[in-house]
Amino acid sequence: MIRGDERAGATGSGGRRGGGGAVQFSALGLRLADARTEESVRGLLKAVEAELRDTVASADPFVTEAARHLVEAGGKRFRPLLVALGAQFGDPTRAEVVSAAVVVELTHLATLYHDDVMDEASVRRGAPSANSRWTNSVAILVGDYLFARAADVSAELGTEAVRRQARTFARLVHGQIAETVGPRPGDDPVAHYLHVIAEKTGSLIATSAHFGGLFSGAAPEHVAALAGYGETIGVAFQLSDDLLDIASESAESGKTPGTDLREGVPTLPVLYALASDDADAASVRLREILATGPLTDDALHAEALGLLRESPALKRARETVRSYAEDARAHLAPLPDTPSRQALEFLCDHIADRTN
């Protein structure tokens, strides 16, 4: 299950839903003070959009329509953005950079088709999900098709790209299995949850930043730094989306606040609350409500949401997000002080601050 900006409310440029993947730099907490860097990043992302549409095209018009369904629905294009920023530490004009960004975005889109089937979702990025528009079988098969197209493009980039993409895919699958099975008896639910996010979200974002450095010809130590940054900022990004589901009073999180609570999804604040031994009345009451599972009763849902917003568990979850954001910043230390590095640092600040 991929939550947060990828479910119902992501918008493109000008506040429109979809937007063909136009990136809202301000929405991502991104600042590009240098005009040349911004022009390079925007140019790369524009090229990625065109290549995405071309790459998913098929001789079968129906396959093309279904495969382009989520491409055209838009999204933040966070992963291609990290490819583009990582490429600024080498030569961002290399054609391989665009292809690398297409690989990671196709891989991501494929997981969304599969996720919607598993979650029985009806909406994705403000549009009907593929499984609700067609069928579960079609959604699964289109996801498989996108994985195949990603592998094809990877092959053109060489053995290293194929190996990295395959290993990333394996981590995505392991993460999904771990989430589906749940923690084993004796496992720490919080550690299990963080592991799932690292596998399902951090792994592909790490590969995105890695690919940006690798295929732009950046120095090996810079490529490694970008990969480490991507892994940790990816976890922070997902955790902050989970917190927004509770803390936001608006549609900032991309969905109605408290959706995870209503669906019984045990996000980090909920896990911290359940593990708490605080004896105050509010904490005890919160544990009682959360222990019942999905909160479909409107009154209980509202009560739990209010208690969570004022709980030590939410504060602790915010501290965890900030810790991951600071770890991500530390990974940037080997990189030169350039506008691209500054943009990656600003992203750390945005993710750490947006749930406060």
Side-chain angles (χ1 to χ4, degrees), residues 188 310 320:
D188 176 6
E310 301 299 326
T320 301

Side-chain angles (χ1 to χ4, degrees), residues 129-155:
S129 60
N131 51 302
S132 65
R133 181 174 175 180
W134 292 290
T135 65
N136 282 346
S137 295
V138 167
I140 291 170
L141 291 170
V142 171
D144 291 346
Y145 171 70
L146 293 181
F147 277 128
R149 297 301 298 127
D152 195 11
V153 177
S154 294

Side-chain angles (χ1 to χ4, degrees), residues 12-301:
S13 60
R16 293 181 294 110
R17 291 195 185 280
V23 171
Q24 291 180 289
F25 286 170
S26 60
L28 289 166
L30 186 65
R31 302 178 190 174
L32 290 171
D34 179 69
R36 289 184 61 185
T37 302
E38 180 169 344
E39 181 181 3
S40 172
V41 170
R42 290 190 183 276
L44 281 168
L45 293 174
K46 183 177 180 180
V48 169
E49 289 304 311
E51 191 163 324
L52 274 173
R53 285 181 54 82
D54 290 344
T55 302
V56 303
S58 165
D60 185 327
F62 175 77
V63 174
T64 299
E65 178 187 7
R68 284 180 175 171
H69 180 65
L70 283 185
V71 171
E72 294 175 348
K76 287 190 173 77
R77 299 291 193 253
F78 185 53
R79 292 150 190 82
L81 174 62
L82 285 187
V83 175
L85 288 172
Q88 305 305 312
F89 297 96
D91 178 4
T93 65
R94 290 186 176 184
E96 293 92 339
V97 173
V98 173
S99 296
V102 168
V103 169
V104 295
E105 187 64 10
L106 284 177
T107 302
H108 175 55
L109 290 172
T111 67
L112 300 187
Y113 279 85
H114 289 176
D115 277 352
D116 283 344
V117 173
M118 296 187 68
D119 298 345
E120 299 179 350
S122 60
V123 176
R124 170 70 69 177
R125 294 178 171 177
S129 60
N131 51 302
S132 65
R133 181 174 175 180
W134 292 290
T135 65
N136 282 346
S137 295
V138 167
I140 291 170
L141 291 170
V142 171
D144 291 346
Y145 171 70
L146 293 181
F147 277 128
R149 297 301 298 127
D152 195 11
V153 177
S154 294
E156 296 175 0
L157 291 171
T159 304
E160 175 60 23
V162 173
R163 181 181 296 112
R164 179 83 186 200
Q165 197 264 350
R167 290 177 177 175
T168 301
F169 184 30
R171 289 189 65 188
L172 291 169
V173 173
H174 274 93
Q176 184 61 69
I177 292 172
E179 182 179 62
T180 302
V181 173
R184 295 180 174 86
D187 286 352
D188 176 6
V190 172
H192 176 269
Y193 182 68
L194 294 173
H195 170 71
V196 166
I197 291 180
E199 295 291 280
K200 289 192 58 179
T201 303
S203 63
L204 187 55
I205 293 177
T207 294
S208 302
H210 177 100
F211 273 4
L214 179 66
F215 291 105
S216 67
E221 62 270 23
H222 294 166
V223 175
L226 287 165
Y229 170 86
E231 178 94 14
T232 46
I233 203 66
V235 174
F237 189 67
Q238 182 62 63
L239 290 177
S240 67
D241 274 343
D242 291 351
L243 268 62
L244 280 175
D245 179 61
I246 294 168
S248 175
E249 295 285 353
S250 67
E252 182 184 0
S253 64
K255 56 187 175 180
T256 303
T259 298
D260 290 333
L261 272 179
R262 192 174 293 279
E263 295 177 354
V265 177
T267 56
L268 189 63
V270 170
L271 292 172
Y272 278 154
L274 287 170
S276 169
D277 57 4
D278 293 337
D280 60 284
S283 296
V284 171
R285 175 59 178 161
L286 179 57
R287 288 197 297 272
E288 289 176 352
I289 299 173
L290 295 177
T292 64
L295 298 177
T296 56
D297 179 84
D298 289 343
L300 282 178
H301 177 268

